[in-house]
Amino acid sequence: MIANGKNRGFTLVELIVAMVIIAITAVGAFEFYVFSMKNFIMKARLTLMATDFATDKMEKLYYLALGDLPPEGDTTNDQFRNDTYLTELKNRGGNCLINVTSTTNYKIVTTKITWN
């Protein structure tokens, strides 16, 4: 900035330096935004896939008669071994545990999906 008399203001070099600093900051902020959105979308897709998988398994077990349900324990390897949802889930780093627990008049089925 020139401070002599009527010539007060910024020089062209000062303006260019300020614009370069602002541009670098804006590019960094934009890259962070893009990274955050990609990460959010990936997590949303994984959550949706896990929810769909769990819902599908629970619906299949819901419509089975009480006597047709598998015995107590993990049913992932027995009943759903060739399931396309399970294959896709494992290909994306997921794991599923379906546990059946018996009581006197009913069975409790728990579906747990985890990501590596």
Side-chain angles (χ1 to χ4, degrees), residues 87 90 97 102:
T87 305
K90 289 188 176 188
L97 176 67
S102 292

Side-chain angles (χ1 to χ4, degrees), residues 18 27 30 34 38 41 52 57 62 65 79-80 94 101 105 107:
V27 167
F30 181 72
V34 169
K38 285 181 181 178
I41 290 170
D52 285 346
K57 298 298 144 251
Y62 178 79
Q79 192 170 6
F80 303 115
T101 306
N105 296 323
K107 291 187 177 184

Side-chain angles (χ1 to χ4, degrees), residues 45-65:
R45 285 182 181 165
L46 291 176
T47 302
L48 180 62
M49 185 172 64
T51 304
D52 285 346
F53 178 78
T55 303
D56 182 61
K57 298 298 144 251
M58 296 304 286
E59 285 178 356
K60 284 183 180 179
L61 292 171
Y62 178 79
Y63 289 108
L64 289 176

